[in-house]
Amino acid sequence: MALSSESVDQGAYTSVLKLVSAPPITSVLVANRGEIARRVFRTARSLGMSCVAVHSTADALAPYVAEADVAVHLPGTAPGDTYLRGELVIEAALKAGADAVHPGYGFLSENAAFARAVEAAGLAWIGPPAEAIETMGSKIESKKLMAAAGVPVLSQLVPDEVTEAELPVLVKASAGGGGRGMRVVHYLEELAGEIEAASAEALSAFGDGTVFCEPYLATGRHIEVQVLADQHGTIWAVGERECSIQRRHQKVVEEAPSPLVERLPWMRDELFEAARKAAAAIRYLGAGTVEFLADDSGRFYFLEMNTRLQVEHPVTESVTGLDLVQLQFEIARGHELPAEPPAAVGHSIEVRLYAEDPANNWQPQTGTLHRFHFPTPTTSFASPVHRAYVRRSGDDVPPLLRTQESAPWVRVDSGVESGSEVSPYYDAMLAKVIVWGATREVAAARLAAELGRAEIHGVRTNRDLLVRVLRHRAFLDGETDTAFFERHGLEVLAEPLADKSTEELAALAAALADAAHRRTTAKVQGRLPSGWRNLASQPQRKTFAAGDSTYEVSYRLTRDGLLADGDVTLVEASPDQVVLEVGGVRRRFAVAAYDGLVCVDSASGSVALTPVDRFPDPSQQVAAGSLLAPMPGTVIRVGVSVGDQVKQGQPLLWLEAMKMEHTISAPADGILTELAVAAGQQVEVGVVLAVVQVEPAVQEAVGQVEENA
């Protein structure tokens, strides 16, 4: 079917779907939370449906709950007590008067028993058949089925029979996904322990501890194909996506089309054919994704099929103009797809913005998100630009001349907003930021600039890492694979965009903004400079910490202007903005002060400053060797006892928070003199977990190094 010569509009294809049977859906419950709940709400409302939310105690004030027409409380905070309780979700749907359930992704979205229970309760299931979910739910059985259907697969290894020659291998959970229950093993003696750990994690996350092994391709490309299948035998392969840049086997950057497939265009037809075979083999219905691992030569192998909507579905929507959620609803109601899907136009890139510290083992962050703002006019949960971005009067018109960008090209799908609390109970993703461009280079440049200018205050994020990746020469050349961070050095990519000189200027700007605030709020003599004296004796001083650095700002405001270190001139200062001229270059700093935190944004990067108290409270100090909880979470295992001799880097205990397992290790050789927690215990950020008394020889060596320095 040909596209309109006037424009590609979101929903253009769904408007011409042939209606076969249409049981009415007037109200839908989304069995999920956060940004995916908001995403489904957006489309459901456009189709005239009312929206029902379910929420845990921790999510009571979340934006998606406020946006729902009706919300039902699921008491508790842990997913196992709330979002994974299928019977409670169905009860909520019936109580709220919903006639359909959309599972989103994660949680119960690939639970065949839940899909059956939804339909048994008389509710419409906006997802694939339970049989298809069940078949693809076991990675072991699904690979056998795919091999029989003629889809290329990697050989499967029996964990107990792996040999030295077959290393390295990847231990994988048979159920679930998202990187949980996965371990890379390079040495045979480590295999048994890693299998046990992977099985335990899989059992905790998915209720199934079955694991298997397969050959590990360290530098593979992760390519996936979006499929849509209706009840009338039509199967669409709606373009491919590349999701090779990953951390902890979880995707970080996703794009459509794939740069590898663009370089090897013959590969696209083969991928699409394999994806259609996979969908046909299980009589699939609805939206799904067939995932492959490919090498640079174009050879590819089936990994798994996600029988649900993918996190990265917006990039496919951006280049096709489709609303995949709308298509899910339409297919569930019996509509028939046209013979062919729309062709992709331009390039779209999505990044996952996480509340985490990449430089510190991707440690999740919690706290109040004071400000969350993107500067460019954006759309949320709908394809950017597609309202009128392409005129197709002829295929011979160059792509750059076809674009008519009368609508935003930035899309932000987020479950948070300014003022939201980032809790430790769920995934650390704050938002998906999606940009469309006529070319890949334009899309990457736009996305990097948009992220760099965003104001994200209150929690540390991976924003700077994402910007560095998008501007990296290897990324721009399409050299992306699953070892991207290892190859190009995570320690380099994770460095803040703001260098030390920018941090120093940010500290000065923060001090001047604070002085301006005190002047504007002073009840007497507010027009005099802060700290003004008739006979000045000392400069104003203020100290800030930024990461591991401390900056003592020393300045004086005189009749002749600012007196400070360096070639710096004050142009203007207000409580929320400071303009400095540095070496003849004018620089603007936006300053936002919160309780115990000052955030300074500029073109050179964002800096989070902590004011340093001149007279710290001694009671807040902790003993040397104390190991503090880096985040709120649950102690899931303890591997040592008081009195044990420990080695530097030795795992002592494990925390679970934000869907991840985190290891707390010994900071140095020593003796464990205190263990303040036990398995199963909930802990808050900053509490003492254990104390390691450093061995005297080590302490003496450290002291000698410091003395020599």
Side-chain angles (χ1 to χ4, degrees):
M1 178 178 178
L3 292 175
S4 163
S5 62
E6 292 300 317
S7 68
V8 176
D9 193 358
Q10 193 165 2
Y13 263 64
T14 54
S15 67
V16 297
L17 295 181
K18 180 181 176 183
L19 181 64
V20 176
S21 61
I25 297 176
T26 60
S27 177
V28 61
L29 178 142
V30 180
N32 221 293
R33 62 177 298 278
E35 60 88 15
I36 186 56
R38 300 178 85 184
R39 167 69 187 92
V40 177
F41 288 170
R42 186 259 172 206
T43 291
R45 284 223 170 83
S46 75
L47 298 175
M49 302 174 195
S50 63
C51 301
V52 180
V54 287
H55 68 88
S56 68
T57 303
D59 278 338
L61 300 178
Y64 83 95
V65 177
E67 290 174 5
D69 297 295
V70 178
V72 181
H73 179 213
L74 304 178
T77 54
D81 298 328
T82 54
Y83 301 108
L84 290 173
R85 292 281 299 277
E87 75 281 8
L88 296 184
V89 174
I90 293 171
E91 181 185 326
L94 297 173
K95 185 189 302 183
D99 40 36
V101 171
H102 191 298
Y105 50 69
F107 293 134
L108 295 167
S109 63
E110 294 181 282
N111 187 307
F114 178 63
R116 291 192 179 98
V118 167
E119 293 179 326
L123 300 164
W125 169 248
I126 313 302
E131 293 75 19
I133 297 174
E134 202 162 53
T135 300
M136 286 302 187
S138 168
K139 294 184 178 67
I140 296 174
E141 296 305 316
S142 65
K143 287 196 173 189
K144 293 178 182 177
L145 181 61
M146 291 300 100
V151 179
V153 299
L154 280 171
S155 59
Q156 185 177 304
L157 307 173
V158 179
D160 293 340
E161 299 175 6
V162 173
T163 66
E164 191 83 40
E166 292 169 320
L167 295 174
V169 298
L170 183 64
V171 181
K172 297 179 71 173
S174 180
R180 305 211 66 183
M182 295 178 70
R183 301 287 193 280
V184 178
V185 180
H186 293 275
Y187 304 102
L188 205 56
E189 61 269 21
E190 296 176 356
L191 182 60
E194 294 292 6
I195 288 173
E196 182 181 354
S199 179
E201 187 177 6
L203 182 64
S204 171
F206 314 122
D208 183 350
T210 306
V211 297
F212 66 98
C213 295
E214 65 183 20
Y216 176 61
L217 304 183
T219 59
R221 300 279 196 126
H222 191 119
I223 314 290
E224 59 189 33
V225 179
Q226 175 71 57
V227 296
L228 284 158
D230 65 19
Q231 299 174 25
H232 313 282
T234 301
I235 301 175
W236 277 2
V238 196
E240 85 283 346
R241 300 184 286 256
E242 180 158 343
C243 314
S244 298
I245 298 183
Q246 303 178 2
R247 59 96 162 105
R248 288 182 165 179
H249 308 293
Q250 287 186 320
K251 303 160 189 172
V252 178
V253 182
E254 300 117 336
E255 55 185 312
S258 157
L260 174 64
V261 178
E262 288 287 274
R263 180 167 61 82
L264 305 171
W266 56 265
M267 187 181 173
R268 183 168 286 123
D269 287 342
E270 294 186 11
L271 278 168
F272 287 7
E273 180 62 22
R276 284 190 290 262
K277 282 182 180 178
I282 60 171
R283 299 180 180 178
Y284 196 75
L285 294 176
T289 299
V290 187
E291 302 195 352
F292 300 95
L293 189 65
D295 62 25
D296 279 339
S297 72
R299 291 178 301 178
F300 60 87
Y301 308 92
F302 173 83
L303 282 178
E304 61 183 350
M305 182 175 184
N306 292 131
T307 52
R308 53 171 168 80
L309 202 65
Q310 289 279 84
V311 177
E312 57 272 21
H313 76 273
V315 294
T316 297
E317 293 184 327
S318 294
V319 297
T320 62
L322 294 172
D323 182 332
L324 296 179
V325 175
Q326 182 173 347
L327 285 164
Q328 285 185 297
F329 279 111
E330 299 290 3
I331 290 171
R333 295 175 64 227
H335 287 69
E336 183 177 356
L337 294 167
E340 296 293 335
V345 177
H347 201 97
S348 183
I349 304 176
E350 170 184 301
V351 293
R352 301 190 193 188
L353 183 67
Y354 285 101
E356 66 183 10
D357 182 359
N360 192 12
N361 198 29
W362 309 99
Q363 187 181 98
Q365 306 290 296
T366 59
T368 302
L369 190 62
H370 298 297
R371 182 161 172 77
F372 191 69
H373 174 71
F374 288 82
T376 301
T378 61
T379 181
S380 296
F381 312 108
S383 293
V385 180
H386 266 287
R387 287 295 170 192
Y389 87 68
V390 172
R391 299 183 67 85
R392 285 186 172 235
S393 55
D395 290 338
D396 57 337
V397 178
L400 287 174
L401 299 183
R402 297 180 202 159
T403 58
Q404 303 293 326
E405 299 184 18
S406 59
W409 41 260
V410 180
R411 169 174 170 175
V412 178
D413 286 10
S414 177
V416 298
E417 56 191 20
S418 296
S420 291
E421 285 293 324
V422 181
S423 82
Y425 303 109
Y426 312 112
D427 189 83
M429 189 173 74
L430 298 178
K432 304 179 307 193
V433 187
I434 308 103
V435 161
W436 178 90
T439 67
R440 185 172 183 267
E441 292 74 14
V442 168
R446 284 175 165 174
L447 184 49
E450 190 68 18
L451 287 167
R453 292 196 298 264
E455 296 173 357
I456 307 168
H457 301 166
V459 296
R460 185 170 294 179
T461 72
N462 65 336
R463 181 255 302 275
D464 290 4
L465 170 85
L466 296 173
V467 173
R468 288 191 182 278
V469 168
L470 291 165
R471 290 175 175 166
H472 199 282
R473 187 68 260 165
F475 177 83
L476 295 174
D477 289 341
E479 297 172 3
T480 57
D481 59 39
T482 53
F484 189 90
F485 290 131
E486 290 80 2
R487 176 174 295 105
H488 299 292
L490 178 61
E491 68 282 357
V492 175
L493 293 168
E495 286 182 358
L497 293 174
D499 58 19
K500 296 300 181 184
S501 62
T502 299
E503 288 183 351
E504 192 170 5
L505 287 172
L508 175 59
L512 293 170
D514 179 60
H517 170 72
R518 285 186 275 115
R519 286 199 302 276
T520 57
T521 57
K523 294 182 179 179
V524 294
Q525 296 184 328
R527 299 179 68 180
L528 290 177
S530 175
W532 184 87
R533 305 174 68 129
N534 191 38
L535 296 174
S537 60
Q538 294 293 326
Q540 296 292 295
R541 287 189 173 87
K542 201 165 184 66
T543 304
F544 298 94
D548 296 329
S549 301
T550 301
Y551 299 97
E552 184 178 276
V553 177
S554 175
Y555 71 93
R556 282 175 54 192
L557 293 173
T558 71
R559 291 184 179 89
D560 298 324
L562 175 70
L563 294 181
D565 294 337
D567 183 12
V568 181
T569 302
L570 175 62
V571 178
E572 63 177 83
S574 67
D576 57 7
Q577 182 172 269
V578 173
V579 180
L580 301 173
E581 192 169 289
V582 185
V585 178
R586 185 166 294 192
R587 302 187 184 278
R588 190 176 302 272
F589 299 85
V591 183
Y594 309 98
D595 185 19
L597 175 70
V598 182
C599 296
V600 182
D601 296 297
S602 72
S604 300
S606 298
V607 180
L609 299 166
T610 303
V612 176
D613 195 338
R614 293 176 62 190
F615 306 103
D617 184 351
S619 66
Q620 301 300 312
Q621 306 301 307
V622 296
S626 296
L627 300 176
L628 308 182
M631 70 207 75
T634 303
V635 179
I636 55 174
R637 297 200 304 279
V638 176
V640 289
S641 301
V642 173
D644 284 358
Q645 195 88 17
V646 298
K647 295 290 185 182
Q648 182 178 8
Q650 176 184 336
L652 305 182
L653 52 91
W654 290 262
L655 284 179
E656 185 173 68
M658 289 181 160
K659 294 174 61 178
M660 289 187 182
E661 193 175 287
H662 307 276
T663 304
I664 308 299
S665 303
D669 294 355
I671 298 172
L672 190 77
T673 58
E674 183 181 340
L675 184 62
V677 294
Q681 184 175 334
Q682 290 273 348
V683 295
E684 294 300 319
V685 64
V687 303
V688 176
L689 302 173
V691 178
V692 174
Q693 181 179 318
V694 179
E695 292 180 343
V698 175
Q699 269 186 333
E700 184 178 336
V702 171
Q704 187 64 45
V705 169
E706 291 177 347
E707 184 177 323
N708 292 338

